[in-house]
Amino acid sequence: MTNVPSKVSIIVPVYNVENYLAKCLDSLINQTHQNIEILVVNDGSKDNSEQIIQNYAQKYPEKIKPFVKENGGLSDARNFGIDRVTGDYIGFVDSDDYVTPTMFEEMVNLAEKHYSKMVVCNIQKVDQNGNVTQKLTQIPNMPEKIDLNKNFSVFSDLSYFACNKLFKKELFNGKRFKKGAHFEDIQLIPQLLLECKTIAQTQNFHYQYLERTDSITKTHTEKGLDILKAVEEVEMAFEQSRYSGKRKELKNFQIFEGVYSFLAYLAFVKDEKLFYEMSSKLGLFMKKRNIKIKDILKYSRFDKNYLLSLPLKKKIFYLLFFAGQKRLIRKLV
């Protein structure tokens, strides 16, 4: 009797990506891991995306599962897919990105080799010609299998993208992305990590994140406050987890995902009144958690000072922000 490989369900939310969707779906159809289902969720697209989905569904009926729903946003489309998966593992791929042919084969193998409910791979940013513009290494200097009890620094160091990870389906029991919230990955993925005893990783750059030249410039608004709300939700899950005694790592998570992520967003808020209102909210967030400026300045990620590793303009912005140099900050951003 032959062993059937574990089934992977890949959820692809689609919204107005007619120029990129075929490349994304081709990269999934051509996976070396053949026992897959690709749930393509059309989240109310108004372009030609639906026709492309139907063409692929007709050509690859054994793999492509097409769905159409009213527009509800990324979280809603992902949750729609999670509710309909039949696989042992779940992966997420954004519809303007693509992946290497061996991504899901290697990640399933690692999950089963190390009994891990979460597997992480590296990301590289690519331009529209396929040229690599930036390599994003996720967990350097650590083994393939990571025992979280011994290496819990991963909790505060990891970038919480959903798309470069493979999840055991059971992690989503009672858990979903928060509908209508921005920064939904920061809100949910750390909570899933807290359910794991081990995670596994590959240093291969399987996930190709497309930097689009035609995307509409994002408006930075008060929605950035969702970052702080996401951290608050993770804190509640943390207190109920097996890792609740690891306070240093919680504080580092608050600094990295709360303070630094929020500042990265805040730097692009153009409305001056809103900028200072949001700055004030960050001040309250830090005060409530007893996060001092010195804690932030000396925060290290993967044993390197995080501030020193930032590009010069970001570094100056952060230093001016901490120093309270309001006029200079406005000139910089």
Side-chain angles (χ1 to χ4, degrees), residues 76-330:
D76 197 45
R78 285 177 174 173
N79 291 341
F80 184 97
I82 294 168
D83 291 340
R84 289 159 178 80
V85 298
T86 63
D88 308 289
Y89 295 92
I90 298 176
F92 301 94
V93 175
D94 286 345
S95 50
D96 47 0
D97 299 334
Y98 54 97
V99 301
T100 64
T102 57
M103 174 171 169
F104 288 102
E105 180 181 22
E106 182 179 16
M107 293 176 86
V108 168
N109 288 343
L110 286 171
E112 299 192 334
K113 176 181 176 183
H114 299 303
Y115 302 97
S116 295
K117 296 178 183 177
M118 185 185 296
V119 184
V120 181
C121 73
N122 287 335
I123 301 171
Q124 52 192 16
K125 292 185 177 181
V126 293
D127 64 20
Q128 297 192 172
N129 297 316
N131 300 312
V132 177
T133 59
Q134 187 180 4
K135 286 181 174 287
L136 302 173
T137 302
Q138 298 300 290
I139 315 177
N141 312 318
M142 279 209 186
E144 190 178 87
K145 177 184 178 180
I146 300 170
D147 181 326
L148 289 177
N149 202 42
K150 295 176 182 173
N151 297 286
F152 198 62
S153 60
V154 169
F155 175 70
S156 56
D157 292 343
L158 190 62
S159 294
Y160 284 108
F161 308 110
C163 291
N164 68 323
K165 298 173 179 66
L166 183 73
F167 306 93
K168 199 86 163 66
K169 181 182 176 181
E170 66 193 55
L171 284 177
F172 290 92
N173 290 347
K175 290 187 169 64
R176 293 292 184 272
F177 292 95
K178 191 169 185 179
K179 184 181 176 181
H182 289 222
F183 309 98
E184 59 282 319
D185 290 1
I186 297 175
Q187 175 262 338
L188 180 64
I189 309 304
Q191 295 190 50
L192 303 185
L193 181 78
L194 291 169
E195 297 291 325
C196 301
K197 291 182 179 178
T198 66
I199 64 170
Q201 68 150 337
T202 167
Q203 285 295 310
N204 286 322
F205 290 83
H206 283 305
Y207 195 86
Q208 316 300 302
Y209 174 87
L210 177 65
E211 291 193 289
R212 289 165 55 179
T213 55
D214 68 341
S215 61
I216 300 166
T217 304
K218 289 181 181 175
T219 306
H220 287 67
T221 68
E222 67 277 0
K223 278 290 185 183
L225 293 169
D226 284 356
I227 295 171
L228 304 184
K229 292 173 188 171
V231 172
E232 286 173 2
E233 290 202 29
V234 174
E235 289 167 349
M236 288 188 281
F238 182 88
E239 297 301 342
Q240 302 300 317
S241 75
R242 60 169 63 90
Y243 304 109
S244 58
K246 296 183 180 289
R247 311 312 293 183
K248 178 188 173 187
E249 288 82 359
L250 174 62
K251 191 162 194 173
N252 282 343
F253 173 84
Q254 292 163 336
I255 291 171
F256 179 55
E257 292 295 356
V259 179
Y260 276 119
S261 294
F262 189 78
L263 283 173
Y265 185 93
L266 188 63
F268 295 97
V269 173
K270 296 303 181 188
D271 182 282
E272 190 155 349
K273 185 180 177 212
L274 180 60
F275 179 92
Y276 291 118
E277 284 175 2
M278 292 174 69
S279 300
S280 160
K281 293 282 176 65
L282 177 60
L284 291 172
F285 174 89
M286 290 169 57
K287 185 176 181 181
K288 187 176 178 182
R289 289 154 185 81
N290 196 30
I291 298 172
K292 310 288 189 189
I293 300 298
K294 64 179 182 181
D295 298 327
I296 296 166
L297 297 179
K298 71 180 184 182
Y299 166 69
S300 66
R301 187 170 181 236
F302 303 120
D303 299 322
K304 293 180 181 176
N305 182 280
Y306 186 67
L307 189 68
L308 294 179
S309 68
L310 292 171
L312 182 61
K313 190 173 180 181
K314 264 192 180 180
K315 196 182 302 180
I316 294 170
F317 170 80
Y318 290 177
L319 288 170
L320 287 174
F321 186 90
F322 299 141
Q325 302 293 326
K326 292 185 177 182
R327 282 169 57 198
L328 290 172
I329 291 171
R330 293 315 301 169

